[in-house]
Amino acid sequence: MYDVILIGCGVVGAATAYQLARYDLKVAVLEAQNDVANGTTKANSAILHAGYDPEPGTRMAALNVEGNKMAKELCRKLDVPFRPVGSLLLALSEAQKTTLQTLYVRGLANGVPGLALLDREATLAMEPGLNPELTGALYAPTAAIVNPWEYALAMAETAVVNGVELHRRCPVTGIRPLPEGGFALQTPRGEWQTRFVVNAAGVNADKVHTLLEPVPWKITPNRGSYFLLDKAEGSRVGHVIFQCPGPNGKGVLVAPTVHGNLLVGPDAQPVEDRRDLGTPASALDFVRTQARRSVPGIDFSQNIRNFAGIRANSDQEDFIIQPSPAYPAFLDLAGIKSPGLTAAPAIGKRAVELLAEAGLVCRPKAQFIAERHVVRMDRLSPAEKNVQIARDPRYGRVICRCETVTEGEIVAALHSPIPALSINGVKRRCNAGMGRCQGGFCGPRVQEIIARELGIDQTAVPMDQDGSWVLAGETKTGREVTGDV
Amino acid sequence: MYDLIVLGGGPAGLAAACRAWQEGVRRILLVERDDALGGILNQCIHNGFGLHRFSEELTGPEYAGRYIRMLGQTGVEVRLATMALQILPGQDGAPHEVHTLSPTHGYEVLQTRAIVLAMGCRERTRGAIALPGERPAGIFTAGAAQRYLNIEGYLVGRRVVILGSGDIGLIMARRMTLEGAKVLACVEVMPYSGGLTRNIVQCLQDYDIPLYLSHTVTDIKGHDRLEQVTVSQVDANRRPIPGTEMVFDCDTLLLSVGLIPENELTRQAGIEMDRRTHGAVVSEAMQTSVPGIFACGNVLHVHDLVDYVSAESERAGAAAAAYLQGNPSASLPSLRLDNGAGIAYTVPQRLHPGIGEAQVFFRVNRVTGPAAVVAENDAGETSRFRRLRFAPGEMERITLPANLVATAKEHITLRLEEGSV
């Protein structure tokens, strides 16, 4: 019998696991896919919002501001790329200045520090590449950029290092309340019994809850498409550049990334199929046109990748963070739309409080490993690089030439607390294949290293999720493996 | 301290290093990031290489082998599995620095009097053309699929659509067919192919693979592995025409949509670039805007034939030797080769007036019937070079007469003239 089982290991599940790992509890995380952070967490704007958007008094407002405050220290301890670049929300007409004023007042009410209303000249002085027709901006110094999947991965890894079990490829297919209290969860890998359940299933949170009982809310998945531009465009802007929000979200933004690229997007498109991560031509056209209204000079010929993420929106205004009235030991963390990434660490803390209120006894562990460290060759000085290479020459062999990622870093990702199991899993852990050639050169080599390190056949290494097979078969053996992955 | 560091051990670097050695340069280091010399030739196991250079037909590995053997007879030092991370040009005649990373030597700062840039090119990706649709596995650049097939021994799929009619895509259409895959179509957005005519004939027509000109991929379906692509006809502005959609059930999409010279090191070093070639601006000696730094091969501009890469790179090696032996030219010459109507680019972009005749590579930007390229200098001198056909997919080579070069004041303009032949 587990004390707590979390369903889903996106950033919300990871943050909750990280908080629970501090206590003397038997905790497991069940993740449907072959990797953590593989849903909404890996495909979003990678921004830690300051917190002036949500209505004062909502959970969203409080958790946004609190999550933003927690981020810097968390990223330092867990070695996650983080840059406090600040944001500018642009007014592109006189009328939009009213919106700035409204959000400024809202931000003050939410306790957002350092907000300032800027006039046109001050805005252009801070960010000369902006549309000169702008009329003003709301400056939020506490907005930051982060590597979102590493943020989640780092929290999940730290949880695992501190004794939380993570089971991947383990979708929950049934939930049954036990007569003596607690729940039995059905999965393809057997039945799991637990006293408490945390539903952090992201875009599928409503479906998961429905396994137990009907729910009065539902997820309304909404897709956003992006451009990721080459590092040659990475310094086009120094701040996160927002447009005034509309009914469909925060609008198209332009932002630097922690990797040095430029991120442009998203649009907002309701979708039925929660796995349809396509980027239609119409969405890309919309993003291009809208982004040029803020930053006219963006060179879209420097695009290296389009991607889309599905927002786990719900039909509720606020985040759904509450126990089921009928089953107080079943806690929903659902409908975590923007600013979910920002709020996640605070949601994790709040989740533990709610579990404690429902009767979970939380005794702090004697020993909690709070720090995580990752070797990233491109951040080391020449002398430090040589120390690393002397210790392990594989850190001198560059596999991904665009991002200068070495074999040593890839091997480390394959033997980390949550080992990568796919080519994209390696990409998310150490950046190999993230660059301008998009794995054209290093993809086959990365795949070979994965097969070698995990002791599996190269044809069994997927690109991303199970089923995303890369190789149809060997040419000289006549062996067919199509679709076996 | 080296006299010459050659960055890249593909055909360009091999030829440049060999030639510099033959010209008497002795302290030469060749840096290659892969574990073997030969570059992309190692995966080009088809024949058709060497007709110009060796007057016989070789495979890619055979062609590379010839140069690797030649290099073996020199005293050029070779360092494999070594990545150049940065070039710092020396100021006022001071040596240049090359920063490298390798398993054997760690992070090193090497000093050299001259550098030949021969890093080659990379393939344009799906992102570069902002291809719409889902992002399943099964979408490869043609060169990546070629590496899997010819080096690693794996087939990447069984029902294939190819977008782009560049040479690697055409070669892969034949190669995948020979390995038992079904190639359903080759789709080209332009009204003409970007590949060599011989490859259209030998790789598509001989295998009854349809070529759809003025078509492109407008949708991609498949959550995990590719399941379907939609192909639409495009109008004169390359906009898809609604109602012309064709759907192909396939598990693989190969992209052969162009090559880009790999010049991140070059740009970082502050070397003047040509936005048309995506390579450095060079003189007829293949020297860049930084004295002592030369460039050749696909890092300079994308070639169709390796034979021309070798020829150009041997020129760069010889010029580097001349530079080291006391004929340094301070900076780029002022005489410009300008692109007039119909010309996409020229290499070199600058000439020294006193050099005598000058060999020039160029590409046109449209397909023609019988036509001429006219070179005209600003003193009114002209030369005419006739061909039965010009096409962007075929790099052209002409030799400007000495008189045309010598009498030019500031520029010589190349232009395409149709119908006057």
Side-chain angles (χ1 to χ4, degrees):
Chain A
M1 175 72 90
Y2 287 84
D3 291 311
V4 186
I5 286 184
L6 294 100
I7 302 171
C9 201
V11 71
V12 172
T16 307
Y18 172 73
Q19 293 298 339
L20 286 169
R22 300 165 177 280
Y23 304 102
D24 227 342
L25 296 168
K26 188 169 163 64
V27 179
V29 187
L30 306 185
E31 166 56 50
Q33 297 186 15
N34 66 9
D35 206 358
V36 304
N38 213 7
T40 308
T41 300
K42 77 169 177 198
N44 55 72
S45 301
I47 285 163
L48 301 180
H49 294 276
Y52 54 72
D53 291 286
E55 289 280 358
T58 59
R59 294 185 192 109
M60 211 183 249
L63 294 166
N64 180 342
V65 174
E66 188 188 346
N68 179 293
K69 279 191 188 128
M70 293 168 72
K72 189 176 180 181
E73 175 64 4
L74 197 52
C75 288
R76 187 193 63 74
K77 279 199 293 203
L78 302 184
D79 202 1
V80 175
F82 166 90
R83 275 174 57 205
V85 293
S87 68
L88 290 166
L89 170 70
L90 307 187
L92 292 167
S93 65
E94 280 304 315
Q96 287 190 343
K97 285 173 88 168
T98 320
T99 310
L100 298 192
Q101 185 65 40
T102 308
L103 292 173
Y104 175 73
V105 171
R106 205 184 275 184
L108 294 184
N110 290 344
V112 179
L115 287 177
L117 286 165
L118 306 181
D119 63 13
R120 178 179 175 277
E121 284 64 35
T123 310
L124 288 171
M126 278 176 79
E127 202 59 86
L130 297 178
N131 182 352
E133 287 167 25
L134 65 88
T135 56
L138 175 60
Y139 174 54
T142 55
I145 55 176
V146 73
N147 176 344
W149 54 86
E150 185 159 0
Y151 201 28
L153 177 70
M155 290 191 277
E157 279 188 3
T158 308
V160 166
V161 165
N162 284 290
V164 170
E165 293 175 24
L166 171 70
H167 300 275
R168 289 179 278 176
R169 296 171 164 150
C170 198
V172 173
T173 53
I175 303 176
R176 182 164 53 85
L178 295 170
E180 66 276 21
F183 306 88
L185 309 184
Q186 270 78 49
T187 76
R189 295 166 57 181
E191 188 180 274
W192 308 68
Q193 297 201 348
T194 179
R195 295 173 54 224
F196 291 85
V197 171
V198 176
N199 173 15
V203 291
N204 293 313
D206 53 351
K207 292 183 177 173
V208 164
H209 194 135
T210 307
L211 297 172
L212 175 68
E213 58 174 346
V215 272
W217 47 266
K218 68 169 195 286
I219 299 293
T220 53
N222 188 292
R223 186 176 62 197
S225 295
Y226 293 85
F227 288 83
L228 183 71
L229 305 193
D230 193 284
K231 289 176 182 175
E233 281 290 297
S235 50
R236 177 70 64 185
V237 293
H239 303 81
V240 177
I241 308 300
F242 291 110
Q243 293 173 357
C244 279
N248 290 324
K250 296 192 173 76
V252 170
L253 60 88
V254 180
T257 73
V258 289
H259 297 114
N261 301 85
L262 191 75
L263 185 62
V264 185
D267 68 329
Q269 189 74 46
V271 285
E272 292 292 319
D273 180 350
R274 300 174 189 201
R275 292 201 57 204
D276 184 354
L277 293 170
T279 44
S282 55
L284 299 180
D285 286 344
F286 174 82
V287 169
R288 261 192 221 103
T289 309
Q290 289 298 112
R292 287 199 175 112
R293 293 178 59 222
S294 314
V295 188
I298 300 171
D299 180 1
F300 282 98
S301 76
Q302 294 290 333
N303 186 42
I304 60 174
R305 187 178 178 87
N306 295 106
F307 65 89
I310 307 274
R311 300 175 182 89
N313 290 359
S314 76
D315 56 1
Q316 308 293 301
E317 287 288 315
D318 207 347
F319 292 154
I320 301 162
I321 297 179
Q322 64 203 23
S324 155
Y327 299 98
F330 188 98
L331 176 65
D332 281 317
L333 306 177
I336 309 297
K337 53 191 119 182
S338 177
L341 178 68
T342 319
I347 294 173
K349 273 178 73 177
R350 182 81 191 112
V352 175
E353 288 163 17
L354 288 168
L355 291 169
E357 282 169 26
L360 181 72
V361 179
C362 296
R363 272 189 307 272
K365 263 181 199 152
Q367 299 215 310
F368 177 73
I369 301 160
E371 307 249 335
R372 167 184 178 268
H373 178 64
V374 182
V375 174
R376 291 190 188 84
M377 286 297 278
D378 66 345
R379 294 223 207 129
L380 301 183
S381 71
E384 291 168 328
K385 283 188 172 84
N386 280 331
V387 169
Q388 194 66 33
I389 295 165
R391 209 179 287 154
D392 183 346
R394 292 177 296 188
Y395 283 92
R397 182 183 294 273
V398 175
I399 301 292
C400 167
R401 48 171 94 163
C402 300
E403 299 292 313
T404 320
V405 181
T406 65
E407 185 178 4
E409 291 162 274
I410 294 169
V411 170
L414 292 163
H415 298 291
S416 60
I418 304 174
L421 301 174
S422 65
I423 295 173
N424 286 358
V426 167
K427 175 164 90 172
R428 285 190 289 274
R429 281 162 183 78
C430 59
N431 246 11
M434 269 281 289
R436 47 180 72 90
C437 93
Q438 285 289 291
F441 285 116
C442 69
R445 292 165 177 83
V446 168
Q447 199 185 26
E448 207 178 320
I449 296 170
I450 295 172
R452 184 190 75 205
E453 295 297 320
L454 300 184
I456 58 175
D457 198 279
Q458 197 170 333
T459 54
V461 179
M463 185 185 86
D464 194 9
Q465 300 183 29
D466 296 343
S468 64
W469 55 274
V470 177
L471 300 175
E474 287 184 53
T475 54
K476 301 305 175 218
T477 64
R479 210 154 56 86
E480 299 227 0
V481 296
T482 307
D484 283 0
V485 174
Chain B
M1 166 79 113
Y2 291 96
D3 288 324
L4 176 62
I5 291 181
V6 177
L7 295 179
L14 288 167
C18 284
R19 182 63 186 271
W21 178 271
Q22 285 157 13
E23 296 290 331
V25 183
R26 283 300 169 262
R27 291 176 300 175
I28 306 178
L29 174 69
L30 188 149
V31 172
E32 165 57 43
R33 54 190 157 198
D34 220 326
D35 292 330
L37 293 173
I40 212 72
L41 284 173
N42 290 332
Q43 67 184 56
C44 300
I45 62 171
H46 52 282
N47 57 3
F49 301 93
L51 284 166
H52 297 264
R53 178 66 181 77
F54 296 112
S55 302
E56 56 183 307
E57 203 169 24
L58 305 172
T59 65
E62 284 171 337
Y63 188 101
R66 299 245 170 142
Y67 271 98
I68 293 169
R69 273 197 298 281
M70 267 191 260
L71 190 80
Q73 285 155 16
T74 69
V76 171
E77 183 187 340
V78 174
R79 209 169 279 178
L80 299 174
T82 302
M83 178 85 187
L85 299 177
Q86 197 182 9
I87 296 169
L88 289 178
Q91 302 300 318
D92 305 320
H96 306 300
E97 278 184 6
V98 178
H99 296 220
T100 61
L101 191 68
S102 72
T104 46
H105 294 74
Y107 190 94
E108 268 196 305
V109 179
L110 306 171
Q111 299 211 316
T112 182
R113 293 170 59 209
I115 296 172
V116 171
L117 305 172
M119 295 90 78
C121 60
R122 64 168 179 270
E123 297 178 279
R124 291 180 81 205
T125 63
R126 176 177 180 179
I129 55 172
L131 206 54
E134 293 189 73
R135 258 162 308 283
I139 303 170
F140 301 86
T141 58
Q146 189 180 44
R147 184 187 164 91
Y148 272 123
L149 191 48
N150 293 346
I151 305 266
E152 321 256 331
Y154 295 105
L155 192 61
V156 296
R158 303 209 176 270
R159 288 177 64 83
V160 185
V161 169
I162 298 176
L163 176 60
S165 58
D167 287 310
I168 315 170
L170 299 175
I171 295 287
M172 283 305 289
R174 176 175 64 185
R175 186 78 186 93
M176 297 282 286
T177 304
L178 292 176
E179 286 293 344
K182 175 74 182 163
V183 179
L184 303 167
C186 180
V187 178
E188 168 61 57
V189 72
M190 302 301 283
Y192 50 83
S193 160
L196 296 171
T197 306
R198 75 174 193 209
N199 284 334
I200 299 281
V201 175
Q202 295 171 8
C203 300
L204 295 184
Q205 291 174 7
D206 285 0
Y207 297 90
D208 295 326
I209 297 166
L211 171 62
Y212 295 98
L213 297 174
S214 297
H215 279 71
T216 194
V217 170
T218 47
D219 198 16
I220 291 170
K221 290 243 177 287
H223 291 342
D224 293 321
R225 177 75 189 200
L226 179 62
E227 289 167 15
Q228 206 174 66
V229 303
T230 304
V231 170
S232 306
Q233 200 182 331
V234 296
D235 63 20
N237 299 317
R238 284 182 260 166
R239 284 270 165 192
I241 303 170
T244 62
E245 294 83 2
M246 293 183 282
V247 171
F248 293 92
D249 292 323
C250 57
D251 59 23
T252 303
L253 176 65
L254 297 189
L255 303 178
S256 181
V257 292
L259 299 168
I260 306 173
E262 198 146 56
N263 274 300
E264 280 63 39
L265 288 176
T266 319
R267 281 195 198 89
Q268 210 180 50
I271 291 168
E272 186 182 336
M273 301 293 293
D274 182 337
R275 61 183 176 80
R276 290 163 300 204
T277 56
H278 302 286
V281 172
V282 291
S283 68
E284 75 287 341
M286 318 316 293
Q287 185 165 217
T288 69
S289 62
V290 175
I293 300 187
F294 301 79
C296 56
N298 281 352
V299 79
L300 186 60
H301 61 126
V302 175
H303 297 61
D304 314 324
L305 298 178
V306 71
D307 306 66
Y308 290 167
V309 168
S310 299
E312 179 180 283
S313 304
E314 285 173 13
R315 237 187 309 150
Y323 170 87
L324 289 165
Q325 288 153 5
N327 300 306
S329 52
S331 56
L332 282 173
S334 58
L335 175 55
R336 297 192 319 269
L337 259 176
D338 286 345
N339 302 337
I343 305 296
Y345 74 75
T346 69
V347 169
Q349 296 87 344
R350 306 285 183 88
L351 297 171
H352 285 96
I355 51 162
E357 58 180 37
Q359 201 175 80
V360 173
F361 291 113
F362 69 92
R363 280 183 198 270
V364 297
N365 60 17
R366 62 175 189 266
V367 177
T368 73
V373 159
V374 179
E376 180 172 12
N377 72 14
D378 47 5
E381 289 269 335
T382 58
S383 287
R384 224 167 255 279
F385 305 86
R386 294 180 175 82
R387 300 280 190 277
L388 289 173
R389 177 178 185 269
F390 283 101
E394 315 236 351
M395 194 174 79
E396 297 287 342
R397 187 164 66 155
I398 55 174
T399 304
L400 300 180
N403 187 45
L404 185 82
V405 179
T407 58
K409 295 190 200 87
E410 288 175 352
H411 57 90
I412 299 170
T413 305
L414 255 58
R415 65 170 188 274
L416 188 59
E417 215 170 77
E418 276 183 86
S420 64
V421 184

